[in-house]
Amino acid sequence: MQLTIMPVDAQEMVPPLLSYAEPDSPLQIVAIDEVECFRDTLSNELEPRGFSVTTFADGPSVLEAIDSLAAADLIVLDWDHSSSPGLTLLHQLRRAGVAAPIVFLTRRSIASNECVALENGAIDFIDKSRGYAILAFRLKIARQKVPTAQRDKTFTLGELKLKTQVSRAFWAGTDLDLTVGEFKIVALLAANAGHHVTYRALYDVLHYRGFVAGCGESGYKTNVRSAIRRIRRKFEALDPHFDRIQNYTAFGYIWALDGE
């Protein structure tokens, strides 16, 4: 087999496959802020402007209700939260498999903080003092920035079907019962079907880009191999002849297409 190397961004796990027409309904916003008065006012001000707002007081409460984030169009985090700093919560949500776009709100609009937020995957960084009318406009613009591929609810590749909003994978119509981490690996491989994906890129989707773990310089590869073995066993339990996930020694894995 000839090795074809394609540049892979581990953050872009969902492939550009099906067009998805958004329903004519309010944008679903999940907001985490420690100030109760702000949460109440945020809901009251945004809902007449075309939003449906669900609020949480802190990181632990939203992580306990992680399933409620599946339908979120945007997640709004308080950068300055005293007990659940916004950047920390962003990484916790990503590790938990929440892929919804994230916007930060702040009481201190500092350029260096904005750079850090955007470098870590946020799509906007908004000063609370601008007011709710501006906030509503910025949130709608932020939603428009999200690639159509990330809004797709279902991705189909042969017998594989991925329901991206709920991190569920199906093979020939049967739920594979993948963990969130396993789902992210399969989604990344399927998004790059026919092209090899590196061990590093596969490991990054389990955590976040640049995460360091494992024993030695390449210790993370052991974790990837173990995850792939578990994933293969789940496919093979449904289809003993499953052979789509193939290894290229010392480089990574590929979701093989017909004839490969």
Side-chain angles (χ1 to χ4, degrees):
M1 180 188 300
Q2 181 179 1
L3 173 62
T4 303
I5 301 175
M6 294 290 290
V8 173
D9 186 339
Q11 302 298 318
E12 297 179 359
M13 300 180 294
V14 182
L17 294 163
L18 307 175
S19 60
Y20 175 73
E22 291 185 288
D24 184 17
S25 60
L27 286 177
Q28 303 293 317
I29 303 295
V30 172
I32 298 92
D33 195 285
E34 63 186 333
V35 180
E36 182 178 4
C37 179
F38 179 80
R39 297 197 303 273
D40 292 341
T41 305
L42 185 70
S43 297
N44 293 336
E45 291 288 341
L46 290 186
E47 287 180 355
R49 293 180 165 95
F51 297 84
S52 176
V53 183
T54 302
T55 63
F56 295 90
D58 52 32
S61 62
V62 74
L63 291 170
E64 288 177 4
I66 202 76
D67 290 343
S68 68
L69 305 187
D73 291 305
L74 292 172
I75 296 176
V76 178
L77 302 182
D78 179 15
W79 177 267
D80 310 296
H81 200 299
S82 59
S83 63
S84 301
L87 191 59
T88 299
L89 186 51
L90 178 151
H91 290 311
Q92 290 173 332
L93 290 171
R94 293 298 186 237
R95 287 196 292 272
V98 177
I102 287 178
V103 171
F104 281 111
L105 300 185
T106 182
R107 293 183 296 274
R108 297 175 294 173
S109 187
I110 301 173
S112 59
N113 288 346
E114 183 172 1
C115 286
V116 171
L118 298 176
E119 287 172 355
N120 280 271
I123 61 173
D124 206 350
F125 190 84
I126 305 171
D127 190 337
K128 289 182 178 180
S129 67
R130 300 295 301 280
Y132 293 99
I134 294 296
L135 174 59
F137 278 118
R138 292 280 289 270
L139 290 176
K140 289 179 179 178
I141 291 171
R143 176 58 176 158
Q144 292 170 1
K145 292 179 183 177
V146 181
T148 301
Q150 286 186 234
R151 305 180 198 178
D152 291 341
K153 300 299 188 284
T154 302
F155 162 46
T156 301
L157 181 65
E159 297 290 345
L160 178 68
K161 178 179 287 187
L162 303 178
K163 293 188 176 181
T164 60
Q165 291 284 41
V166 292
S167 298
R168 305 309 302 167
F170 300 81
W171 183 254
T174 302
D175 193 332
L176 287 156
D177 196 26
L178 300 182
T179 66
V180 171
E182 291 166 353
F183 176 87
K184 289 194 275 188
I185 287 178
V186 170
L188 182 59
L189 289 171
N192 294 275
H195 302 288
H196 288 82
V197 181
T198 66
Y199 280 99
R200 182 72 249 182
L202 290 166
Y203 189 68
D204 282 349
V205 300
L206 289 173
H207 300 281
Y208 54 86
R209 186 179 301 166
F211 185 84
V212 178
C215 180
E217 184 177 349
S218 300
Y220 62 87
K221 292 182 179 180
T222 300
N223 292 341
V224 173
R225 293 189 190 101
S226 296
I228 292 291
R229 282 195 296 270
R230 293 194 301 271
I231 292 167
R232 280 174 169 161
R233 284 197 294 268
K234 291 182 178 182
F235 276 100
E236 290 166 356
L238 300 178
D239 179 359
H241 301 293
F242 176 80
D243 62 354
R244 292 299 181 189
I245 300 176
Q246 299 177 9
N247 177 239
Y248 190 87
T249 305
F251 182 82
Y253 291 86
I254 185 175
W255 184 279
L257 299 174
D258 288 336
E260 294 187 336

